[in-house]
Amino acid sequence: MKGKKTTLKLKPKSFAISFVIILFAITAAVSGFFLDSSIYKGQNIFKSLLSVIHIPLVNADYRAWFVLCFTSLFIGLGALVINFEYLKALSQGKNFNDNRWFAISFITFLVTIVITVQVDALSLLPYTMDSFINALIFLGSSYLVAIPVFIVLLVVLALLSAFGYFIIRSAIKGRPSFAGFNDDDDDDDSGEKGAEKSMVQTREEVFPTLCSVDEKFENKTPANIKSASITLNDLVTQFRLFLAQKEGLYFSLDKLRQFIAGMATSHLLILEGLSGTGKSSLARYFSTFIGEDSFFEPVQASWHDRTSLLGFYNDFTRRYSETEFLKRLYEFTYRPHDVNIMVLDEVNISRVEYYFADFLSIMEYPRDLWKVKVMQLPFGFLPPAHLEGGFVKIPENTWFIGTANKDDSTYTITDKVYDRAIAISFNSINRPFEVEGEISPIKMSYEGLNALFRKAIDNPAFRLTDKDIEQFNGVVDLIYRTFDLSFGNRVWNQIITFVPVFVACGGTKEQALDFLLARKYLYKIQGRFESFVKPGLLTVKEKIHQTYGDNAFVETDALLDSMIRKL
């Protein structure tokens, strides 16, 4: 859902075009001084030059000057307005190729011309043919003279800019060039000038934080973690009691089963719903419960690409601007036995598919290809130990958990994100309950947690049978015929993994399928208001009750009832 406020980000290209148009209009207005014969007394160099190039002088009265000044003024204002419209279009993900914004800018152009002509006509009152011809010649001659003057002015500005850039670059000394080589003068102890030499920056200069991580784990073998002997069912139960006793957070068993089964299914989870329901705390305290520390990063509305997460190389400081997110990822390449929970708070305050795009794509690959490009390294540069070829590995022991609110300040999460993630909805606050006895955290390694997942998936008693698949496909086929909705292999593979882990956590197959049908499938119908939608939803609800009973698919029934009420 788009926020109420839209930030207009200045684009260098649009700024440059507006600046050039306004500068030309000012140049034309100033050129009028060289063409007004009333200014000249006797012969001078400007008068002689204009006669050589056959540009006539004009005895411009106040009306001719009004026409020239107003025309230049409205050209400049029109350029600013069209530039503002261009920035507004970009802020909404559009450009002038979009018919609506092209029409708006074209109308602005026409309105500017009409207003200019009207104001110029009023400036000529009282109207005479001589005053009209005089003003027209003065206006045309001024803009004709402005062309060569403007070109010379642009060349001068370009030369001054290049000279200023050269001075600034020359003033920065004592720092080797990362992009290539840089000459440095080194003074010896006696103060004499040393020989000039070229050198490439070292990795400690470019990546000081990552190099400090290398130094911290240098010559250290990753410590083995002895996992607690526990089942997934007990893990969920104890985690629920731990949250209630230690943190005052109360969750239903089904929500925690969805959370644990979601971790087995995808390395991207989205916890969405009402503010204050404990979404962020659930993700953070799971790390505490298994003896780890989670990473917490509030997403900013200004995030638009991967540099917000991974940083960027700063040409001015000549070092990489390393983020805490990058440091955390890099550190866990040295800690393969730990569970790495990385929480992105308010993940949809900016567009997830923009700043998280690389991760969404890469996590579809085989796990040995889970690595994201940090930057292009120059030839001969020796990077930090685990930044091979400029890529940082996404450790397979890493989970990204995003929390999302649904209000006017956030964006809608797209199907591209939902299809890859397990999204859990928090739309109610659970009642407190008493906990007896002391509940302590446990120790759990990545291998231990993964072994619990693997054991559940391999258990035939927890997996979907042919009959289960046939029943579920009956409902899915009806939805496809009614709403033309289907899911691909990715979602089906998620179902095959999610169900047995959910059952191992103490749930039932029907509860797991209920959750997946609502969150992976039926949610896509929300926002559709065709005439067939309401009867179709009623038919689907009846089919579910015929197949599974009246009270088996609680979450799906609640979603269907909510959609039906809105139609």
Side-chain angles (χ1 to χ4, degrees):
M1 189 183 305
K2 196 166 184 181
K4 292 181 179 179
K5 294 184 178 180
T6 302
T7 301
L8 298 184
K9 186 177 180 181
L10 187 63
K11 299 290 182 180
K13 181 179 178 181
S14 63
F15 172 79
I17 293 174
S18 298
F19 174 76
V20 168
I21 294 174
I22 294 172
L23 183 61
F24 179 71
I26 295 174
T27 304
V30 174
S31 298
F33 285 99
F34 299 104
L35 297 171
D36 190 351
S37 61
S38 63
I39 296 177
Y40 297 105
K41 294 182 179 180
Q43 192 72 17
N44 59 47
I45 186 172
F46 295 111
K47 190 173 182 180
S48 301
L49 180 61
L50 291 173
S51 63
V52 170
I53 58 178
H54 302 290
I55 295 180
L57 294 177
V58 179
N59 187 15
D61 58 6
Y62 70 93
R63 290 174 292 186
W65 272 105
F66 277 157
V67 169
L68 175 61
C69 292
F70 282 131
T71 301
S72 300
L73 174 64
F74 286 116
I75 287 176
L77 290 177
L80 287 176
V81 173
I82 292 176
N83 180 60
F84 176 81
E85 292 169 352
Y86 175 67
L87 295 177
K88 186 72 174 177
L90 290 180
S91 70
Q92 298 181 8
K94 306 289 186 180
N95 55 41
F96 281 164
N97 292 329
D98 180 79
N99 291 336
R100 174 172 173 263
W101 285 103
F102 176 79
I104 291 174
S105 61
F106 185 70
I107 291 172
T108 301
F109 174 73
L110 292 179
V111 169
T112 302
I113 293 177
V114 171
I115 293 176
T116 303
V117 172
Q118 292 289 337
V119 173
D120 287 349
L122 291 174
S123 302
L124 291 173
L125 295 177
Y127 178 81
T128 65
M129 182 58 68
D130 289 340
S131 64
F132 172 75
I133 295 174
N134 188 58
L136 193 61
I137 294 174
F138 186 57
L139 178 66
S141 299
S142 297
Y143 274 86
L144 187 62
V145 170
I147 293 175
V149 174
F150 177 69
I151 293 174
V152 172
L153 186 60
L154 283 183
V155 172
V156 171
L157 288 176
L159 292 175
L160 289 175
S161 299
F163 180 73
Y165 176 77
F166 175 77
I167 293 298
I168 293 174
R169 293 278 294 181
S170 300
I172 302 174
K173 294 184 177 181
R175 298 294 301 272
S177 173
F178 186 63
F181 296 93
N182 185 39
D183 290 335
D184 259 338
D185 293 333
D186 295 327
D187 295 333
D188 58 18
D189 293 338
S190 62
E192 295 181 356
K193 187 176 181 180
E196 293 185 348
K197 63 179 181 179
S198 298
M199 62 182 296
V200 176
Q201 281 180 276
T202 65
R203 58 186 175 187
E204 288 79 11
E205 292 174 311
V206 180
F207 295 101
T209 302
L210 300 190
C211 288
S212 68
V213 174
D214 289 340
E215 184 178 350
K216 176 181 177 181
F217 290 96
E218 186 178 9
N219 300 324
K220 288 185 179 180
T221 302
N224 290 318
I225 300 173
K226 185 177 181 180
S227 297
S229 179
I230 192 173
T231 65
L232 284 175
N233 192 6
D234 291 339
L235 176 69
V236 170
T237 303
Q238 290 192 37
F239 181 40
R240 180 172 182 256
L241 297 177
F242 174 82
L243 289 171
Q245 186 179 80
K246 303 296 184 182
E247 310 300 338
L249 298 171
Y250 304 95
F251 293 96
S252 67
L253 284 170
D254 279 346
K255 278 288 178 277
L256 298 183
R257 288 166 183 154
Q258 292 167 7
F259 179 75
I260 299 299
M263 290 183 64
T265 306
S266 173
H267 282 253
L268 174 62
L269 278 71
I270 296 177
L271 314 181
E272 61 181 357
L274 298 174
S275 178
T277 51
K279 302 184 297 294
S280 302
S281 299
L282 172 61
R284 295 171 69 178
Y285 288 122
F286 180 73
S287 292
T288 304
F289 178 65
I290 62 173
E292 299 286 354
D293 292 321
S294 63
F295 172 82
F296 188 82
E297 179 75 31
V299 175
Q300 304 299 317
S302 59
W303 288 12
H304 296 296
D305 55 40
R306 66 178 183 178
T307 60
S308 304
L309 288 172
L310 298 176
F312 59 93
Y313 180 74
N314 190 317
D315 286 315
F316 185 76
T317 62
R318 298 185 182 182
R319 62 181 290 179
Y320 194 86
S321 180
E322 300 158 293
T323 63
E324 290 298 318
F325 184 94
L326 174 62
K327 179 186 176 183
R328 175 79 174 196
L329 270 185
Y330 188 80
E331 180 176 331
F332 269 79
T333 62
Y334 284 101
R335 299 169 59 183
H337 305 308
D338 297 275
V339 176
N340 181 25
I341 301 292
M342 302 186 70
V343 182
L344 296 174
D345 194 37
E346 296 193 57
V347 71
N348 60 334
I349 201 169
S350 184
R351 292 194 179 276
V352 185
E353 63 274 16
Y354 287 0
Y355 66 84
F356 208 67
D358 288 359
F359 293 87
L360 292 175
S361 299
I362 290 167
M363 292 171 70
E364 293 290 294
Y365 301 162
R367 292 190 179 181
D368 58 338
L369 298 179
W370 280 15
K371 52 186 179 179
V372 62
K373 185 71 171 287
V374 174
M375 68 172 295
Q376 180 67 43
L377 301 179
F379 178 76
F381 178 76
L382 184 63
H386 286 192
L387 198 69
E388 299 178 5
F391 287 84
V392 63
K393 183 180 180 182
I394 303 174
E396 64 180 53
N397 58 344
T398 296
W399 278 267
F400 301 103
I401 301 179
T403 67
N405 293 327
K406 290 186 175 181
D407 53 46
D408 290 341
S409 66
T410 60
Y411 289 90
T412 299
I413 298 176
T414 61
D415 288 349
K416 176 181 179 180
V417 180
Y418 275 133
D419 286 348
R420 290 163 170 78
I422 294 296
I424 304 173
S425 180
F426 293 77
N427 292 321
S428 61
I429 299 177
N430 296 296
R431 295 179 180 178
F433 54 86
E434 294 294 329
V435 179
E436 297 181 359
E438 181 68 18
I439 307 299
S440 301
I442 64 172
K443 294 296 292 184
M444 181 65 66
S445 67
Y446 167 68
E447 291 84 0
L449 184 61
N450 201 43
L452 291 176
F453 293 156
R454 192 74 260 161
K455 182 178 179 181
I457 295 169
D458 293 339
N459 191 333
F462 297 157
R463 294 203 300 260
L464 292 174
T465 64
D466 291 341
K467 182 180 179 181
D468 295 328
I469 295 174
E470 182 181 355
Q471 288 180 327
F472 189 66
N473 279 337
V475 176
V476 169
D477 289 342
L478 175 61
I479 296 174
Y480 174 71
R481 293 194 305 270
T482 307
F483 301 103
D484 195 25
L485 282 179
S486 62
F487 51 74
N489 292 330
R490 180 195 297 119
V491 174
W492 184 248
N493 289 333
Q494 290 175 348
I495 293 173
I496 296 300
T497 302
F498 184 93
V499 172
V501 177
F502 186 90
V503 175
C505 290
T508 65
K509 295 178 183 178
E510 288 76 14
Q511 289 173 325
L513 292 174
D514 172 31
F515 167 77
L516 292 168
L517 185 64
R519 301 301 302 166
K520 284 288 180 183
Y521 208 32
L522 290 176
Y523 84 93
K524 296 183 179 182
I525 304 175
Q526 295 184 97
R528 295 180 60 173
F529 298 97
E530 297 96 328
S531 59
F532 65 85
V533 172
K534 185 173 182 178
L537 293 175
L538 292 171
T539 303
V540 170
K541 184 176 181 180
E542 182 181 356
K543 174 67 174 178
I544 292 172
H545 288 182
Q546 290 175 353
T547 305
Y548 294 101
D550 291 341
N551 300 314
F553 276 40
V554 177
E555 191 161 345
T556 299
D557 279 347
L559 179 60
L560 290 173
D561 290 341
S562 174
M563 290 190 289
I564 291 171
R565 283 196 302 270
K566 296 175 182 178
L567 296 172

